[in-house]
Amino acid sequence: MVISADNKPAAFSKTTELQVGQTSTSSWFSTNWLWNWKPTSLQKLQQAESQLFSYVKCGVEKKFVELKNGSKIWTVMTSKKKSTIPLVMVHGFGGGVGLWVMNYANLSQYRQLYAFDLLGFGQSSRTQFTSKAEMAEEEFVESIEEWRNSLNIESMILLGHSFGGYLSTAYALKYPNRVKSLILADPWGFPERNPTQPRQTPLWIRVLVNLLSPFNPLALVRVAGPLGPGLVKKFRSDFREKFQVLDDEKETPILDYIYHCNAAHPSGEAGFKSISGPLGYAYRPMLNRIGKLDSNIQVTFIYGARSWMDQNSGRMAQSLLPNNHVEVFSIKGAGHHVYADRPQLFHQIIGNILNPQSHDDDVTNQPDDIINQPDDIISN
């Protein structure tokens, strides 16, 4: 059940913020005919999201939260639980609140749950980010802090996936008093790039990276125009399989949702590009900073055993945080989108953190599919 408090789209600045399908004179392909050529609109994004939320088995409210500069952040929340710190979920690159549809009901059992579209993604305002890595990161972090303050959330448990895990950690470093616990699901941006890697990378990949470097990561989806939805369905068919468990009779609109999230003006995408360096590494790797994290913040890493993310980062973080309670888990059979690949096991780990009676306890008695020992070898 969804209660929508505000069905109106966020207000956008004429020069820097756009809705799905609107034109930006600063974009390299932003001509009217090209935007009209793409089979997307804000209404189509809203429709795909609403269809996804029809599978959510708990009551949620959806609304825009306005920031001081007029930008708006699209927000989902469940009913309030008395005297508990809420869980706040932060999606990854190219995602939105719709990607958590398999998790809302389970994770909201013990605590109130919030999720939002990061600034520049999904239905949130498409604001313009700076091209400097440190400043772009600061803009994302400050938008999260303004959002928190607007909702009067005193303290929270942050669950961030991929890029959302990077931003959640950056937020916790700056606002430690607002974060009780960090849950990092296959987080991006932690390791430092190996300086010898460019020499080890095949020449054709280095040439391709240099050719594509002026463009935003998902530019092809937009340039493809009417072929864009087909490209998403061809190259991200794995999402269809992940979310098909929601409906045995018909195909879920997850791929339509992903397309419409990313066919709009690439605002958050440009912000991510400012933060990420060559070959997908962060300009400011989190492992170089995480040692400064407040010792009172519990940290939990949850990796998919089949993910391409560097899982050694979790172990390194443990050694860098000797005074923090740090757990590292790897789930067999799961890839980068661990929350959707094996949601039951994902929920079991997080449930031990969210349960008010066991919040400070270790996660114990895990099934064999969950690996949390550094010497374990996972055979896929």
Side-chain angles (χ1 to χ4, degrees), residues 188-208:
W188 170 87
F190 273 67
E192 191 167 17
R193 189 179 67 162
N194 185 340
T196 65
Q197 187 171 8
R199 294 193 298 271
Q200 298 170 348
T201 304
L203 177 62
W204 71 270
I205 293 181
R206 282 181 275 161
V207 171
L208 184 62

Side-chain angles (χ1 to χ4, degrees), residues 79-133:
S79 58
K80 189 172 183 178
K81 306 291 184 185
K82 188 176 181 180
S83 301
T84 57
I85 299 171
L87 172 70
V88 175
M89 303 196 298
V90 188
H91 65 80
F93 173 76
V97 296
L99 294 185
W100 301 109
V101 291
M102 286 195 284
N103 313 113
Y104 287 110
N106 188 288
L107 298 183
S108 63
Q109 291 181 79
Y110 301 110
R111 296 172 184 269
Q112 184 176 22
L113 185 153
Y114 292 87
F116 61 90
D117 287 341
L118 283 164
L119 201 60
F121 291 98
Q123 291 195 57
S124 291
S125 296
R126 301 275 166 157
T127 189
Q128 183 173 332
F129 288 88
T130 180
S131 60
K132 296 182 179 180

Side-chain angles (χ1 to χ4, degrees), residues 54-105:
S54 69
Y55 297 105
V56 175
K57 304 302 181 183
C58 66
V60 299
E61 178 185 353
K62 302 165 75 174
K63 68 177 185 179
F64 285 105
V65 174
E66 187 167 358
L67 307 184
K68 293 177 182 177
N69 65 357
S71 297
K72 294 186 178 182
I73 293 183
W74 183 237
T75 303
V76 174
M77 63 189 76
T78 62
S79 58
K80 189 172 183 178
K81 306 291 184 185
K82 188 176 181 180
S83 301
T84 57
I85 299 171
L87 172 70
V88 175
M89 303 196 298
V90 188
H91 65 80
F93 173 76
V97 296
L99 294 185
W100 301 109
V101 291
M102 286 195 284
N103 313 113
Y104 287 110

Side-chain angles (χ1 to χ4, degrees), residues 100-307:
W100 301 109
V101 291
M102 286 195 284
N103 313 113
Y104 287 110
N106 188 288
L107 298 183
S108 63
Q109 291 181 79
Y110 301 110
R111 296 172 184 269
Q112 184 176 22
L113 185 153
Y114 292 87
F116 61 90
D117 287 341
L118 283 164
L119 201 60
F121 291 98
Q123 291 195 57
S124 291
S125 296
R126 301 275 166 157
T127 189
Q128 183 173 332
F129 288 88
T130 180
S131 60
K132 296 182 179 180
E134 186 171 359
M135 293 179 63
E137 179 185 306
E138 181 78 4
E139 289 166 354
F140 275 114
V141 168
E142 288 306 311
S143 70
I144 296 173
E145 170 59 10
E146 277 199 52
W147 172 87
R148 179 208 62 79
N149 188 56
S150 296
L151 289 170
N152 296 313
I153 300 173
E154 187 65 24
S155 180
M156 53 191 171
I157 298 171
L158 275 178
L159 164 57
H161 170 251
S162 193
F163 181 47
Y166 175 92
L167 292 178
S168 295
T169 308
Y171 178 89
L173 284 167
K174 183 166 185 181
Y175 296 103
N177 293 335
R178 300 301 183 186
V179 180
K180 174 67 175 177
S181 179
L182 268 179
I183 305 172
L184 305 175
D186 228 56
W188 170 87
F190 273 67
E192 191 167 17
R193 189 179 67 162
N194 185 340
T196 65
Q197 187 171 8
R199 294 193 298 271
Q200 298 170 348
T201 304
L203 177 62
W204 71 270
I205 293 181
R206 282 181 275 161
V207 171
L208 184 62
V209 168
N210 288 331
L211 287 174
L212 296 178
S213 61
F215 308 113
N216 287 310
L218 298 175
L220 182 60
V221 171
R222 293 177 290 276
V223 173
L227 301 179
L231 286 176
V232 172
K233 292 180 179 180
K234 179 177 178 61
F235 292 105
R236 294 319 312 256
S237 60
D238 57 310
F239 270 95
R240 180 188 294 114
E241 298 169 4
K242 298 178 200 298
F243 285 82
Q244 199 55 49
V245 297
L246 294 171
D247 197 322
D248 295 331
E249 298 180 358
K250 60 182 179 181
E251 185 175 317
T252 63
I254 185 63
L255 293 177
D256 289 335
Y257 176 74
I258 291 173
Y259 170 73
H260 293 302
C261 275
N262 294 289
H265 176 65
S267 166
E269 190 178 326
F272 172 81
K273 183 174 180 291
S274 297
I275 294 172
S276 61
L279 302 176
Y281 286 86
Y283 274 117
R284 305 178 69 233
M286 198 54 68
L287 282 179
N288 292 348
R289 297 180 276 159
I290 199 170
K292 299 178 181 178
L293 189 69
D294 189 288
S295 61
N296 293 314
I297 298 177
Q298 176 180 336
V299 185
T300 305
F301 290 86
I302 307 176
Y303 290 101
R306 295 180 176 177
S307 174

